[in-house]
Amino acid sequence: MISSVVRASLLRRVVGIRAQSTWTQVKMGPPDAILGITEAFKRDTDPRKMNLGVGAYRTDAGSPFVLDSVTQAENQLLHEKLDKEYLPITGLPQFTRAAAQLAYGSSSPVLDRLAITQSISGTGALRIGGAFVQRFCEGTPTVYVPGPSWGNHKAVFGDCGLTVKPYRYYDAKTRGLDLEGMLEDLSNLPRGQIVLLHACAHNPTGVDPTPDQWARIQSVVEENGHVAFFDMAYQGFATGDTDRDAHALRTFVEAGRAPVVLAQSFAKNMGLYGERVGTFSVVGASRDERARLESQLKILVRPMYSNPPVHGARIAARVLTDPELRSLWLSEVKLMADRIIGMRVALRSRLEKLGSSVAWNHITDQIGMFCFTGLTAAQVDRLAQEFHIYLTRDGRVSMAGITSANVDYLADSIHAVTQ
Amino acid sequence: YFDNVPQAPADGILQLSVLSKADSNSRKVDLGVGAYRDDNGKPWVLPVVRKAEQQLAQEAGDHEYLGVGGLPALTNGAQKLIFGADSAAIREQRVYSIQTISGTGANMVGAVFLKQFKQPTDAAVYISKPTWGNHRNIFETAGHEVREYRYCNYSTLGLDIDGMLSDLRAAPRGQIIVLHACAHNPTGIDPTAEQWAQIADVMQERAHFPFFDCAYQGFATGNVDRDAYAIRLFVERGFELFVCESFAKNMGLYGERTGCLHAVVASSARVAAVSSQMNRLSRATISTASAYGAKIAGKVLQDPELYNEWIENMELMSARIMDMRTQLRARLEKLGTPGDWSHVTSQIGMFSFTGLNLAQVERLRTEFHMYLTNDGRISVAGLNTGNIDYVAMAIDNVVRN
C-alpha cells in the first residue's frame, strides 16, 4: 500500500480536481411539497394536530390498515416456503391474468388480445406506458393530463421525453367538472394525442365524470383519434364496487374505437403500497398483435429493472384467485370506501350545522381518497399555523386523515378560516 | 393502431432457459442459469433469510410506502457492507445511498443520473469486452454512447491487462468506466490487487469516473471484505464513484429485487444536491422501491446474529462453487482433455468462460443436453456431484472431436 503521506497528497489533488469537475453543476432538486407538509406535521407537538396530506388509507383510529385478506394470503405463502427465483420480465402470470380480469371484467373479450406486464406499482406502469407511447405512437404525441392532476404525472412522462400539457378539468367555481372546457380542449388538439384519464377517484380533486359525461368524453376521444391512457389507482376505492369503478375503462374498451392503455395499481385497494404491485397493459387488435406488443414491453422493461418484485405479486394473485380471500378482500375494499364516504358526510353536515355561508356539497359530490376543498393558500396556511391542521396548499384534503374523533375539530377549524 | 409495432427479438439467455426447460432428457444439465443451485440442482433460499422472514411475520408490520431513499436499515447496512464500517467516506458523510430495484435498477438510476449530469457532457460509457448483456442495453437506453475496453484474453482466458490499461489510457479524459467489483460476469476473470492498483493509476491519470457494478460481494471468495477490495481501494485513492450493489445472489433474494446505488462524492457539501437529484429521478421511474426484500436484507445486515449466520450461508455457497471448479478441472485434466484448464479454478464466482466455441456449445446442447450460452460461459452453480462426471465427459468429447 502507498504511504499515508503520498496517499494524503494524492487525495488532496484528486479531491480538489473532483470537487471542481464532477458534480459542481448539480443543482439542488426542487423540494417535495408533500414531504414538506409531513415534516411540519412531525415537528408540531399540538395534540390536536392532523395530517391531511397523507396519501395512504388510515383506519378510524388513524392507523395504517393492513387488510386481513392480505395478511392471510401472506401467511399462506410463508407456510408454502416458495423460492425467490426471478420472475419473468413481464411478471407473475397468475397475477397479471387476475389483475387483467379485475380491471377489464372476467368475461371481457379483449383478455386474449391484451398485452400486459407487471409493473412497479402505478408509477412504474406509467413509466412503461410513457416509454411505450414515446417509442410507438406516430408523430411523438403530447400527453394531455387533466388540470390539475397527480403531481408525479408530469415528472414521469417528462422523463420519458414526452411533452405534458393540461386540458381543462376542474372548475374552481363549482368545485366540479368543467366538462365543456374539457371537451373543447380535447377537440381542439391535433389528432392522435395521448389523453390521460383518471379511471375513477380523480387525484387530487375527487371530481369524477358521471356515466353520461364519460360517454361524451369518449365520443370526443374517439372522434379525434386520441389514445385513451387510463390511470386506475383506486379501483374499488371510489364507490366500494370494483366493477362500477371500472365502468369508464370498460366502456371505452367495449366500443373498441379508441386505442386503450392502462396503468393499474394495487397500492391503495389492497393496501400493498410499499410492495409496489401494479400492471401496465395495452389492448391489442388481435392475438398476433398481442404477441408483438408483449415482446416490445419486455424490451422496455429489461433495461429499467429486468424483472419485477415477486412478493407483492404473489399476495395479490392469491387474494384475487382464492374465492374466500377474494370475497373477504372485496368486503374490506368496501369498508375503506364506506369509511371515507362516512367522513365526507360527517364533515359536510357539521359545516352546514355550523351555519357556514360557503357551499359544501362538493365534499360529498367528490369521490375517493381526496377532496378539493376550495380553500385558498392563505386559508390553508392559517389552518396549519393556528389549528395545527396540515394539507397541501392547493386545498387538497386526504380523507384518510379524518376520523370520527377529529372530524368535528376539522369542520370547526375550516369554518373558522372561511368566515 | 399498433400495426407498426414489430415483433422484438427474444432475450438470448431467456431463450436458452426455454430450450432447457423443454428438454425432457434425464441427463439434461442447465449451465445457463444465473442463479445459485444447491447440490441437488435446486434453488436455495438461505436459511438466514427464512429466519428473517419468520421474524418479520411475527412482528406483523405493515406495507406502507418506503421513503424515496429506501429502507434505512438496508441502505445504511449496505453502505457499511460495501465500503467497510470504518470507511472514511462514510465517516465524512460523503456517501449517498438510494435503494433500487436490485442491481439492474441501480445501474439504471446511475446511468440516467449520469446522462443528465456527467462532465464532460459527451463522455462515453466504457464497458468491458465482454460484460453482462444488459450493461450496453441500460446505458444506451439512457442515451449514452457505449464503447468497449479490452478485458478478456481469449487465448489465455485470463485478464488482458495490457489491452485494458492501453484502452483506458487512450480514451479521452473523463470517461465513465464500468468496472465489475469482483466475480466478473461472464468471464469470472478478476484483476489481482496489483492489477487493480494499475487500473486505478490510469483512471486517475485520465480523470475517468469509476462506475462499479457489485453483484457478488461475499459470493466470490466467501469473504465480503476481500470481495470489496477494489471498491475500497478506489475510495481510499480519493475517487468519486458510483457502486451498484445487488443482494440477488449473495442473499439469494433474486426476485425480491433488493439493491442499492451508492454515490461517493468529494465532499459532504455535495451530497444534498446529488441526493436530491437522484431522488427526483427515482421518483419519476418507480416512486419508491419494494419493501419486503429490503426488510429481510435490513434485518440480516443489522442483527449481529443473523449477519453471522448470513456469512456462514454465503461461505457455504462460495465453497460449493469453488469445489465444483476444483472437481471439474481435476476431471478434465484426468481425462487428458486437450487444452489448459487452469482457468477453471483461477476464474472466480458464479460464471466460467470455458473457451468452448459456438460449434462445441451447439453440440453440447444437441448431443449432450447441456445448456450454456453461445459465448462458452457456464454457470458453475449448475454443476453438482450428480452431473459433474457427465459434464466433464461431454466437454472432453466436444473438444476432441
Side-chain angles (χ1 to χ4, degrees):
Chain A
M1 258 325 209
I2 52 175
S3 81
S4 58
V5 170
V6 176
R7 190 192 308 152
S9 93
L10 266 176
L11 191 77
R12 273 196 300 280
R13 259 200 290 139
V14 172
V15 164
I17 293 165
R18 294 283 168 232
Q20 290 306 304
S21 65
T22 313
W23 307 123
T24 32
Q25 80 289 5
V26 177
K27 292 192 183 42
M28 193 67 184
D32 187 303
I34 304 206
L35 198 67
I37 295 171
T38 312
E39 312 271 83
F41 169 79
K42 281 189 185 140
R43 281 194 302 269
D44 194 322
T45 53
D46 193 288
R48 297 165 298 176
K49 71 178 180 179
M50 290 177 69
N51 184 356
L52 299 180
V54 65
Y57 179 82
R58 293 287 176 264
T59 65
D60 199 51
S63 311
F65 178 42
V66 179
L67 278 64
D68 193 16
S69 51
V70 165
T71 302
Q72 284 190 40
E74 215 171 359
N75 288 339
Q76 283 179 19
L77 291 165
L78 191 68
H79 197 71
E80 286 160 29
K81 293 210 180 316
L82 302 166
D83 63 40
K84 295 189 181 301
E85 293 295 289
Y86 291 125
L87 285 178
I89 298 174
T90 50
L92 186 67
Q94 303 94 293
F95 164 64
T96 49
R97 232 182 347 257
Q101 287 171 359
L102 180 73
Y104 294 93
S106 53
S107 51
S108 170
V110 307
L111 290 175
D112 67 351
R113 47 188 170 89
L114 185 76
I116 186 165
T117 177
Q118 184 180 335
S119 63
I120 310 296
S121 207
T123 303
L126 292 164
R127 186 63 187 235
I128 295 168
F132 178 81
V133 304
Q134 197 274 340
R135 194 172 277 191
F136 295 111
C137 290
E138 294 259 8
T140 350
T142 297
V143 178
Y144 288 86
V145 303
S149 191
W150 179 46
N152 213 15
H153 276 140
K154 194 169 162 70
V156 173
F157 290 123
D159 275 23
C160 290
L162 294 162
T163 308
V164 181
K165 291 188 181 154
Y167 55 81
R168 276 174 287 172
Y169 189 81
Y170 177 70
D171 185 335
K173 283 193 301 295
T174 63
R175 289 154 185 151
L177 178 63
D178 177 6
L179 181 67
E180 297 311 320
M182 176 177 180
L183 298 177
E184 199 184 316
D185 284 353
L186 296 182
S187 305
N188 290 339
L189 300 177
R191 290 188 66 76
Q193 301 304 294
I194 312 297
V195 179
L196 185 94
L197 300 160
H198 296 225
C200 64
H202 183 271
N203 176 3
T205 69
V207 171
D208 280 357
T210 62
D212 287 343
Q213 291 172 326
W214 270 122
R216 292 188 63 197
I217 294 165
Q218 184 179 332
S219 297
V220 166
V221 168
E222 289 169 355
E223 277 152 25
N224 289 275
H226 296 324
V227 173
F229 192 134
F230 278 96
D231 186 354
M232 186 155 72
Y234 297 98
Q235 188 184 7
F237 214 92
T239 64
D241 181 323
T242 53
D243 293 317
R244 263 181 79 189
D245 287 350
H247 172 83
L249 167 71
R250 294 179 190 181
T251 315
F252 271 70
V253 169
E254 217 172 309
R257 283 186 290 271
V260 173
V261 306
L262 170 70
Q264 178 186 29
S265 168
F266 288 87
K268 284 85 173 172
N269 62 10
M270 268 196 203
L272 286 175
Y273 305 101
E275 306 301 351
R276 318 309 291 126
V277 185
T279 71
F280 173 73
S281 53
V282 182
V283 178
S286 64
R287 272 192 160 132
D288 170 69
E289 182 159 279
R290 171 175 98 160
R292 286 185 283 115
L293 290 168
E294 194 180 287
S295 73
Q296 293 295 346
L297 291 178
K298 287 179 186 169
I299 298 278
L300 292 172
V301 167
R302 182 84 164 114
M304 286 184 186
Y305 55 83
S306 282
N307 45 74
V310 64
H311 188 71
R314 281 177 173 160
I315 294 174
R318 184 60 56 95
V319 168
L320 290 172
T321 58
D322 177 301
E324 242 181 75
L325 291 181
R326 188 190 180 97
S327 172
L328 174 58
W329 171 58
L330 289 171
S331 74
E332 292 181 295
V333 172
K334 184 157 192 331
L335 188 146
M336 289 192 283
D338 284 349
R339 188 180 101 65
I340 291 196
I341 291 169
M343 289 298 103
R344 287 181 179 277
V345 168
L347 180 63
R348 175 183 171 183
S349 85
R350 174 84 175 186
L351 280 162
E352 288 171 349
K353 207 172 285 172
L354 289 166
S356 175
S357 53
V358 178
W360 294 108
N361 54 288
H362 56 283
I363 292 181
T364 49
D365 290 343
Q366 291 167 8
I367 197 165
M369 181 99 85
F370 301 110
C371 170
F372 242 34
T373 55
L375 293 170
T376 65
Q379 290 166 335
V380 167
D381 289 344
R382 281 192 65 195
L383 279 176
Q385 283 145 26
E386 293 171 39
F387 297 93
H388 311 278
I389 294 171
Y390 297 86
L391 55 148
T392 45
R393 294 180 95 237
D394 55 5
R396 184 193 83 162
V397 160
S398 168
M399 300 304 299
I402 306 176
T403 69
S404 49
N406 62 27
V407 63
D408 285 353
Y409 176 67
L410 175 61
D412 296 350
S413 308
I414 290 176
H415 183 61
V417 305
T418 53
Q419 287 313 129
Chain B
Y1 185 81
F2 297 112
D3 282 350
N4 64 319
V5 177
Q7 179 75 28
D11 183 291
I13 298 195
L14 251 66
Q15 267 304 91
L16 192 69
S17 175
V18 167
L19 287 172
S20 167
K21 282 204 172 88
D23 188 332
S24 54
N25 191 287
S26 59
R27 290 174 310 175
K28 162 178 89 173
V29 183
D30 186 351
L31 299 179
V33 66
Y36 179 79
R37 292 286 175 266
D38 65 15
D39 199 48
N40 296 313
K42 296 275 180 280
W44 191 58
V45 177
L46 276 60
V48 72
V49 166
R50 292 274 190 232
K51 207 179 260 190
E53 284 187 290
Q54 292 292 345
Q55 285 184 17
L56 284 172
Q58 268 148 39
E59 285 159 23
D62 55 43
H63 297 285
E64 293 292 291
Y65 288 122
L66 296 178
V68 69
L71 187 71
L74 169 68
T75 51
N76 292 338
Q79 247 184 38
K80 293 200 182 76
L81 179 70
I82 201 117
F83 298 113
D86 56 353
S87 168
I90 297 178
R91 199 171 49 245
E92 292 160 15
Q93 298 181 308
R94 295 191 287 115
V95 188
Y96 180 60
S97 305
I98 185 169
Q99 186 183 332
T100 56
I101 307 295
S102 208
T104 305
N107 273 271
M108 196 274 300
V109 172
V112 173
F113 182 95
L114 286 171
K115 180 67 173 82
Q116 210 180 337
F117 296 109
K118 64 185 175 182
Q119 291 282 354
T121 52
D122 65 348
V125 173
Y126 285 70
I127 56 178
S128 63
K129 183 178 161 70
T131 191
W132 176 46
N134 214 10
H135 272 145
R136 177 178 285 276
N137 191 13
I138 292 167
F139 287 102
E140 282 181 347
T141 302
H144 298 279
E145 186 198 336
V146 175
R147 299 182 191 150
E148 287 178 311
Y149 59 86
R150 279 170 287 175
Y151 192 79
C152 179
N153 179 325
Y154 289 90
S155 347
T156 65
L157 294 174
L159 179 62
D160 178 5
I161 185 67
D162 291 334
M164 178 176 179
L165 294 175
S166 171
D167 288 349
L168 294 183
R169 208 172 263 129
R173 284 179 70 79
Q175 304 299 286
I176 296 159
I177 315 296
V178 179
L179 301 162
H180 296 231
C182 63
H184 184 272
N185 176 5
T187 68
I189 300 165
D190 283 353
T192 60
E194 293 71 31
Q195 289 169 331
W196 274 121
Q198 291 177 288
I199 294 165
D201 287 342
V202 172
M203 293 204 32
Q204 230 158 344
E205 254 173 64
R206 304 298 292 154
H208 291 324
F209 181 80
F211 190 110
F212 277 100
D213 193 351
C214 186
Y216 299 98
Q217 187 187 11
F219 205 94
T221 65
N223 182 306
V224 295
D225 296 312
R226 205 178 311 154
D227 289 349
Y229 174 83
I231 292 170
R232 295 180 190 183
L233 168 70
F234 274 67
V235 171
E236 223 176 300
R237 289 281 200 102
F239 281 92
E240 289 183 307
L241 51 84
F242 282 177
V243 182
C244 301
E245 184 180 15
S246 167
F247 290 92
K249 286 85 173 173
N250 63 9
M251 258 194 220
L253 288 175
Y254 304 101
E256 302 292 0
R257 316 309 290 128
T258 305
C260 286
L261 173 67
H262 305 281
V264 178
V265 299
S267 77
S268 56
R270 289 268 158 259
V271 170
V274 169
S275 64
S276 73
Q277 294 292 351
M278 236 171 225
N279 290 349
R280 191 213 71 79
L281 81 88
S282 184
R283 180 107 166 92
T285 55
I286 61 169
S287 268
T288 58
S290 41
Y292 190 65
K295 286 175 179 170
I296 295 172
K299 246 196 195 304
V300 170
L301 290 171
Q302 301 289 352
D303 178 319
E305 231 181 88
L306 292 177
Y307 183 90
N308 288 336
E309 194 177 333
W310 174 49
I311 299 293
E312 277 170 26
N313 288 172
M314 236 184 343
E315 283 168 352
L316 196 149
M317 288 193 286
S318 77
R320 195 184 89 67
I321 300 243
M322 282 191 262
D323 182 47
M324 288 296 104
R325 287 182 176 280
T326 306
Q327 292 207 36
L328 179 62
R329 177 182 171 181
R331 276 161 180 70
L332 290 169
E333 287 175 347
K334 185 142 182 253
L335 288 168
T337 312
D340 178 353
W341 298 102
S342 57
H343 61 268
V344 172
T345 49
S346 59
Q347 289 168 4
I348 287 174
M350 179 104 78
F351 301 111
S352 188
F353 242 30
T354 55
L356 295 169
N357 61 40
L358 183 59
Q360 293 166 329
V361 169
E362 277 172 354
R363 276 196 62 207
L364 284 173
R365 197 153 54 229
T366 51
E367 289 176 40
F368 295 94
H369 308 275
M370 225 171 94
Y371 294 83
L372 57 152
T373 47
N374 290 340
D375 55 6
R377 180 195 88 165
I378 59 168
S379 169
V380 183
L383 293 174
N384 55 59
T385 51
N387 64 25
I388 193 141
D389 285 330
Y390 177 71
V391 169
M393 182 275 294
I395 290 176
D396 180 78
N397 188 301
V398 303
V399 168
R400 286 180 190 282
N401 304 321

PDB file of all heavy atoms in Angstrom, chain A residues 276-295:
ATOM      1  N   ARG A 276     -45.189  -2.386  -4.074  1.00  0.00           N
ATOM      2  CA  ARG A 276     -45.082  -1.944  -5.463  1.00  0.00           C
ATOM      3  C   ARG A 276     -45.721  -2.924  -6.450  1.00  0.00           C
ATOM      4  O   ARG A 276     -45.031  -3.572  -7.273  1.00  0.00           O
ATOM      5  CB  ARG A 276     -43.598  -1.708  -5.841  1.00  0.00           C
ATOM      6  CG  ARG A 276     -42.738  -0.999  -4.779  1.00  0.00           C
ATOM      7  CD  ARG A 276     -43.317   0.307  -4.207  1.00  0.00           C
ATOM      8  NE  ARG A 276     -43.335   1.399  -5.168  1.00  0.00           N
ATOM      9  CZ  ARG A 276     -44.435   2.100  -5.478  1.00  0.00           C
ATOM     10  NH1 ARG A 276     -45.598   1.863  -4.873  1.00  0.00           N
ATOM     11  NH2 ARG A 276     -44.362   3.060  -6.386  1.00  0.00           N
ATOM     12  N   VAL A 277     -47.020  -3.027  -6.362  1.00  0.00           N
ATOM     13  CA  VAL A 277     -47.744  -4.003  -7.182  1.00  0.00           C
ATOM     14  C   VAL A 277     -48.632  -3.293  -8.190  1.00  0.00           C
ATOM     15  O   VAL A 277     -49.525  -2.534  -7.817  1.00  0.00           O
ATOM     16  CB  VAL A 277     -48.617  -4.911  -6.283  1.00  0.00           C
ATOM     17  CG1 VAL A 277     -49.264  -6.000  -7.121  1.00  0.00           C
ATOM     18  CG2 VAL A 277     -47.777  -5.530  -5.174  1.00  0.00           C
ATOM     19  N   GLY A 278     -48.402  -3.552  -9.447  1.00  0.00           N
ATOM     20  CA  GLY A 278     -49.218  -2.912 -10.478  1.00  0.00           C
ATOM     21  C   GLY A 278     -49.044  -3.596 -11.817  1.00  0.00           C
ATOM     22  O   GLY A 278     -48.296  -4.583 -11.935  1.00  0.00           O
ATOM     23  N   THR A 279     -49.759  -3.087 -12.807  1.00  0.00           N
ATOM     24  CA  THR A 279     -49.602  -3.600 -14.169  1.00  0.00           C
ATOM     25  C   THR A 279     -49.719  -2.465 -15.167  1.00  0.00           C
ATOM     26  O   THR A 279     -50.345  -1.442 -14.885  1.00  0.00           O
ATOM     27  CB  THR A 279     -50.698  -4.620 -14.562  1.00  0.00           C
ATOM     28  OG1 THR A 279     -51.948  -3.935 -14.732  1.00  0.00           O
ATOM     29  CG2 THR A 279     -50.860  -5.731 -13.538  1.00  0.00           C
ATOM     30  N   PHE A 280     -49.110  -2.699 -16.336  1.00  0.00           N
ATOM     31  CA  PHE A 280     -49.363  -1.837 -17.484  1.00  0.00           C
ATOM     32  C   PHE A 280     -49.861  -2.732 -18.611  1.00  0.00           C
ATOM     33  O   PHE A 280     -49.310  -3.805 -18.845  1.00  0.00           O
ATOM     34  CB  PHE A 280     -48.104  -1.090 -17.938  1.00  0.00           C
ATOM     35  CG  PHE A 280     -48.340  -0.330 -19.219  1.00  0.00           C
ATOM     36  CD1 PHE A 280     -49.117   0.832 -19.212  1.00  0.00           C
ATOM     37  CD2 PHE A 280     -47.868  -0.796 -20.439  1.00  0.00           C
ATOM     38  CE1 PHE A 280     -49.387   1.519 -20.387  1.00  0.00           C
ATOM     39  CE2 PHE A 280     -48.132  -0.122 -21.624  1.00  0.00           C
ATOM     40  CZ  PHE A 280     -48.899   1.042 -21.598  1.00  0.00           C
ATOM     41  N   SER A 281     -50.931  -2.317 -19.288  1.00  0.00           N
ATOM     42  CA  SER A 281     -51.448  -3.152 -20.367  1.00  0.00           C
ATOM     43  C   SER A 281     -51.874  -2.334 -21.577  1.00  0.00           C
ATOM     44  O   SER A 281     -52.172  -1.134 -21.464  1.00  0.00           O
ATOM     45  CB  SER A 281     -52.637  -3.990 -19.881  1.00  0.00           C
ATOM     46  OG  SER A 281     -53.613  -3.186 -19.274  1.00  0.00           O
ATOM     47  N   VAL A 282     -51.862  -3.012 -22.728  1.00  0.00           N
ATOM     48  CA  VAL A 282     -52.273  -2.405 -24.000  1.00  0.00           C
ATOM     49  C   VAL A 282     -53.306  -3.333 -24.614  1.00  0.00           C
ATOM     50  O   VAL A 282     -53.048  -4.550 -24.741  1.00  0.00           O
ATOM     51  CB  VAL A 282     -51.088  -2.287 -24.987  1.00  0.00           C
ATOM     52  CG1 VAL A 282     -51.527  -1.620 -26.286  1.00  0.00           C
ATOM     53  CG2 VAL A 282     -49.934  -1.533 -24.354  1.00  0.00           C
ATOM     54  N   VAL A 283     -54.453  -2.797 -24.993  1.00  0.00           N
ATOM     55  CA  VAL A 283     -55.457  -3.623 -25.656  1.00  0.00           C
ATOM     56  C   VAL A 283     -55.052  -3.768 -27.118  1.00  0.00           C
ATOM     57  O   VAL A 283     -54.984  -2.781 -27.852  1.00  0.00           O
ATOM     58  CB  VAL A 283     -56.864  -2.994 -25.549  1.00  0.00           C
ATOM     59  CG1 VAL A 283     -57.887  -3.857 -26.289  1.00  0.00           C
ATOM     60  CG2 VAL A 283     -57.255  -2.830 -24.094  1.00  0.00           C
ATOM     61  N   GLY A 284     -54.760  -5.003 -27.531  1.00  0.00           N
ATOM     62  CA  GLY A 284     -54.347  -5.241 -28.913  1.00  0.00           C
ATOM     63  C   GLY A 284     -55.554  -5.525 -29.787  1.00  0.00           C
ATOM     64  O   GLY A 284     -56.660  -5.770 -29.308  1.00  0.00           O
ATOM     65  N   ALA A 285     -55.291  -5.515 -31.098  1.00  0.00           N
ATOM     66  CA  ALA A 285     -56.376  -5.755 -32.050  1.00  0.00           C
ATOM     67  C   ALA A 285     -56.580  -7.247 -32.263  1.00  0.00           C
ATOM     68  O   ALA A 285     -57.640  -7.684 -32.690  1.00  0.00           O
ATOM     69  CB  ALA A 285     -56.059  -5.077 -33.374  1.00  0.00           C
ATOM     70  N   SER A 286     -55.546  -8.042 -31.975  1.00  0.00           N
ATOM     71  CA  SER A 286     -55.608  -9.466 -32.259  1.00  0.00           C
ATOM     72  C   SER A 286     -54.585 -10.182 -31.393  1.00  0.00           C
ATOM     73  O   SER A 286     -53.752  -9.542 -30.756  1.00  0.00           O
ATOM     74  CB  SER A 286     -55.255  -9.718 -33.732  1.00  0.00           C
ATOM     75  OG  SER A 286     -53.894  -9.321 -33.942  1.00  0.00           O
ATOM     76  N   ARG A 287     -54.643 -11.500 -31.402  1.00  0.00           N
ATOM     77  CA  ARG A 287     -53.652 -12.276 -30.640  1.00  0.00           C
ATOM     78  C   ARG A 287     -52.251 -12.047 -31.174  1.00  0.00           C
ATOM     79  O   ARG A 287     -51.281 -11.989 -30.422  1.00  0.00           O
ATOM     80  CB  ARG A 287     -53.985 -13.755 -30.757  1.00  0.00           C
ATOM     81  CG  ARG A 287     -54.929 -14.220 -29.715  1.00  0.00           C
ATOM     82  CD  ARG A 287     -54.961 -15.730 -29.725  1.00  0.00           C
ATOM     83  NE  ARG A 287     -55.464 -16.245 -28.498  1.00  0.00           N
ATOM     84  CZ  ARG A 287     -56.400 -17.189 -28.413  1.00  0.00           C
ATOM     85  NH1 ARG A 287     -56.928 -17.687 -29.519  1.00  0.00           N
ATOM     86  NH2 ARG A 287     -56.800 -17.633 -27.235  1.00  0.00           N
ATOM     87  N   ASP A 288     -52.153 -11.948 -32.477  1.00  0.00           N
ATOM     88  CA  ASP A 288     -50.847 -11.717 -33.100  1.00  0.00           C
ATOM     89  C   ASP A 288     -50.279 -10.376 -32.632  1.00  0.00           C
ATOM     90  O   ASP A 288     -49.106 -10.250 -32.303  1.00  0.00           O
ATOM     91  CB  ASP A 288     -50.962 -11.742 -34.615  1.00  0.00           C
ATOM     92  CG  ASP A 288     -49.686 -11.270 -35.285  1.00  0.00           C
ATOM     93  OD1 ASP A 288     -48.687 -12.001 -35.198  1.00  0.00           O
ATOM     94  OD2 ASP A 288     -49.672 -10.152 -35.843  1.00  0.00           O
ATOM     95  N   GLU A 289     -51.163  -9.386 -32.616  1.00  0.00           N
ATOM     96  CA  GLU A 289     -50.711  -8.076 -32.169  1.00  0.00           C
ATOM     97  C   GLU A 289     -50.290  -8.141 -30.702  1.00  0.00           C
ATOM     98  O   GLU A 289     -49.311  -7.519 -30.298  1.00  0.00           O
ATOM     99  CB  GLU A 289     -51.817  -7.032 -32.363  1.00  0.00           C
ATOM    100  CG  GLU A 289     -51.379  -5.628 -31.944  1.00  0.00           C
ATOM    101  CD  GLU A 289     -52.216  -4.541 -32.585  1.00  0.00           C
ATOM    102  OE1 GLU A 289     -51.946  -4.208 -33.758  1.00  0.00           O
ATOM    103  OE2 GLU A 289     -53.121  -4.018 -31.899  1.00  0.00           O
ATOM    104  N   ARG A 290     -51.012  -8.889 -29.930  1.00  0.00           N
ATOM    105  CA  ARG A 290     -50.654  -9.023 -28.516  1.00  0.00           C
ATOM    106  C   ARG A 290     -49.232  -9.550 -28.355  1.00  0.00           C
ATOM    107  O   ARG A 290     -48.471  -9.067 -27.539  1.00  0.00           O
ATOM    108  CB  ARG A 290     -51.608  -9.982 -27.814  1.00  0.00           C
ATOM    109  CG  ARG A 290     -51.076 -10.286 -26.404  1.00  0.00           C
ATOM    110  CD  ARG A 290     -51.995 -11.099 -25.613  1.00  0.00           C
ATOM    111  NE  ARG A 290     -51.644 -12.507 -25.623  1.00  0.00           N
ATOM    112  CZ  ARG A 290     -52.074 -13.354 -24.711  1.00  0.00           C
ATOM    113  NH1 ARG A 290     -52.849 -12.898 -23.746  1.00  0.00           N
ATOM    114  NH2 ARG A 290     -51.752 -14.605 -24.786  1.00  0.00           N
ATOM    115  N   ALA A 291     -48.894 -10.565 -29.156  1.00  0.00           N
ATOM    116  CA  ALA A 291     -47.548 -11.144 -29.067  1.00  0.00           C
ATOM    117  C   ALA A 291     -46.493 -10.099 -29.391  1.00  0.00           C
ATOM    118  O   ALA A 291     -45.464  -9.982 -28.715  1.00  0.00           O
ATOM    119  CB  ALA A 291     -47.425 -12.337 -29.999  1.00  0.00           C
ATOM    120  N   ARG A 292     -46.761  -9.326 -30.440  1.00  0.00           N
ATOM    121  CA  ARG A 292     -45.803  -8.277 -30.825  1.00  0.00           C
ATOM    122  C   ARG A 292     -45.671  -7.233 -29.718  1.00  0.00           C
ATOM    123  O   ARG A 292     -44.578  -6.828 -29.345  1.00  0.00           O
ATOM    124  CB  ARG A 292     -46.241  -7.609 -32.133  1.00  0.00           C
ATOM    125  CG  ARG A 292     -46.011  -8.483 -33.373  1.00  0.00           C
ATOM    126  CD  ARG A 292     -46.330  -7.755 -34.665  1.00  0.00           C
ATOM    127  NE  ARG A 292     -47.764  -7.645 -34.934  1.00  0.00           N
ATOM    128  CZ  ARG A 292     -48.458  -6.512 -34.973  1.00  0.00           C
ATOM    129  NH1 ARG A 292     -47.862  -5.350 -34.761  1.00  0.00           N
ATOM    130  NH2 ARG A 292     -49.743  -6.518 -35.234  1.00  0.00           N
ATOM    131  N   LEU A 293     -46.824  -6.800 -29.196  1.00  0.00           N
ATOM    132  CA  LEU A 293     -46.820  -5.775 -28.148  1.00  0.00           C
ATOM    133  C   LEU A 293     -46.077  -6.278 -26.909  1.00  0.00           C
ATOM    134  O   LEU A 293     -45.276  -5.559 -26.317  1.00  0.00           O
ATOM    135  CB  LEU A 293     -48.254  -5.399 -27.769  1.00  0.00           C
ATOM    136  CG  LEU A 293     -49.040  -4.628 -28.824  1.00  0.00           C
ATOM    137  CD1 LEU A 293     -50.521  -4.570 -28.442  1.00  0.00           C
ATOM    138  CD2 LEU A 293     -48.508  -3.207 -28.978  1.00  0.00           C
ATOM    139  N   GLU A 294     -46.358  -7.525 -26.540  1.00  0.00           N
ATOM    140  CA  GLU A 294     -45.721  -8.057 -25.341  1.00  0.00           C
ATOM    141  C   GLU A 294     -44.205  -8.126 -25.507  1.00  0.00           C
ATOM    142  O   GLU A 294     -43.457  -7.816 -24.584  1.00  0.00           O
ATOM    143  CB  GLU A 294     -46.289  -9.445 -25.036  1.00  0.00           C
ATOM    144  CG  GLU A 294     -45.919  -9.912 -23.638  1.00  0.00           C
ATOM    145  CD  GLU A 294     -46.479 -11.278 -23.319  1.00  0.00           C
ATOM    146  OE1 GLU A 294     -47.703 -11.356 -23.114  1.00  0.00           O
ATOM    147  OE2 GLU A 294     -45.693 -12.244 -23.305  1.00  0.00           O
ATOM    148  N   SER A 295     -43.774  -8.495 -26.700  1.00  0.00           N
ATOM    149  CA  SER A 295     -42.330  -8.575 -26.938  1.00  0.00           C
ATOM    150  C   SER A 295     -41.689  -7.203 -26.764  1.00  0.00           C
ATOM    151  O   SER A 295     -40.574  -7.078 -26.260  1.00  0.00           O
ATOM    152  CB  SER A 295     -42.045  -9.142 -28.335  1.00  0.00           C
ATOM    153  OG  SER A 295     -42.337  -8.192 -29.349  1.00  0.00           O
TER     154      SER A 295
END
